[in-house]
């Protein structure tokens, strides 16, 4: 497989390139893309086959759930049972490096959630990630793009060595700003629980 290298210098002026990557996602392909935390390996979160391909490409155990990425905080309600606490967290911290776990809606298959009835949702603030998810029109399931067991990747060049020839495209938006994974909060237990400090 030939992996396309899609270089983005200004996401607002590169609508064609973003649309191209979004089309790959919509048709079941995998695309590496930048977020404000680390590079992600993304596929259509509503497509069970795309999720299975993500696990295979990373060498990730299939019971380790994927985070789904949405274009705007309100979109979470299409994929998860949101509540008032979610709305407050979203207002304070989204878009940004916060992931929230809520009950899953059936449109998100079990192969995306690692077999769980809950789903992790995040709304990235990176302009390329935002533009890609919005253009795809589907939530994007994306773990960090590194191979399982290796450190997370903050540049497209690092990703290239691991995935070239095995995924459809790499969207290169330059180095990621934060370099640390998102904070994860579980809202499905009382009181809510911090699963990972970001
Ligand atoms: P990452 O490896 O950075 O993509 O983050 C994925 C991590 O988020 C998983 O390894 C879990 O620790 C956590 N996670 C994702 N979805 C869920 C979920 N539904 N329930 C609990 N933890 C989750
Ligand atoms: Mg990771």
């Amino acid at each position: 497989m030939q992996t396309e290298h899609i270089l983005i210098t200004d996401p607002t002026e590169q609508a064609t390139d973003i649309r191209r990557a979004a089309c790959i996602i919509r048709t079941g392909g995998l695309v590496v893309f930048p977020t404000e935390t680390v590079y992600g390996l993304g596929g259509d979160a509503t497509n069970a086959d795309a999720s299975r391909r993500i696990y295979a490409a990373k060498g990730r155990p299939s019971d380790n759930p994927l985070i789904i990425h949405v274009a705007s905080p309100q979109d979470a309600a299409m994929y998860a049972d949101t509540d008032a606490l979610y709305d407050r967290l979203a207002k304070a911290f989204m878009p940004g490096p916060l992931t929230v776990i809520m009950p899953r809606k059936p449109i998100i298959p079990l192969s995306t959630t690692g077999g769980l009835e809950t789903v992790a949702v995040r709304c990235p603030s990176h302009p390329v990630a935002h533009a890609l998810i919005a253009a795809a029109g589907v939530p994007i399931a994306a773990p960090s793009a590194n191979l399982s067991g290796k450190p997370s990747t903050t540049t497209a060049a690092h990703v290239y060595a691991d995935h070239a020839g095995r995924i459809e495209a790499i969207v290169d938006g330059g180095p990621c700003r934060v370099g640390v994974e998102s904070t994860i909060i579980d809202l499905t237990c009382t009181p809510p629980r911090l699963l990972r400090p970001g």
Side-chain angles (χ1 to χ4, degrees), residues 18-101:
I18 296 280
R19 268 205 303 275
R20 164 103 205 89
C23 176
I24 293 172
I25 295 273
R26 248 195 332 267
T27 53
L30 301 190
V31 173
V32 162
F33 66 99
T35 77
E36 69 275 26
T37 57
V38 298
Y39 269 82
L41 172 60
D44 178 356
T46 66
N47 178 334
D49 287 331
S51 290
R52 281 191 278 269
R53 280 193 64 202
I54 291 174
Y55 284 101
K58 263 190 76 93
R60 181 177 173 108
S62 61
D63 60 353
N64 187 352
L66 305 178
I67 294 172
I68 75 165
H69 296 71
V70 294
S72 84
Q74 307 86 277
D75 291 348
M78 291 191 271
Y79 313 113
D81 296 328
T82 59
D83 61 9
L85 183 51
Y86 171 79
D87 291 339
R88 278 170 57 200
L89 286 170
K91 207 165 167 199
F93 300 111
M94 292 184 189
L98 174 70
T99 297
V100 180
I101 295 170

Side-chain angles (χ1 to χ4, degrees), residues 38-39 58 60 64 142-153 181 196:
V38 298
Y39 269 82
K58 263 190 76 93
R60 181 177 173 108
N64 187 352
S144 51
N146 55 282
L147 296 179
S148 211
K150 287 207 196 174
S152 298
T153 30
E181 272 100 347
R196 176 172 81 185

Side-chain angles (χ1 to χ4, degrees), residues 89-128:
L89 286 170
K91 207 165 167 199
F93 300 111
M94 292 184 189
L98 174 70
T99 297
V100 180
I101 295 170
M102 294 170 284
R104 150 188 96 90
K105 286 195 168 162
I107 187 171
I108 302 298
L110 288 167
S111 55
T112 298
T113 65
L116 298 174
E117 290 302 335
T118 55
V119 62
V121 182
R122 168 162 127 72
C123 177
S125 64
H126 194 293
V128 173

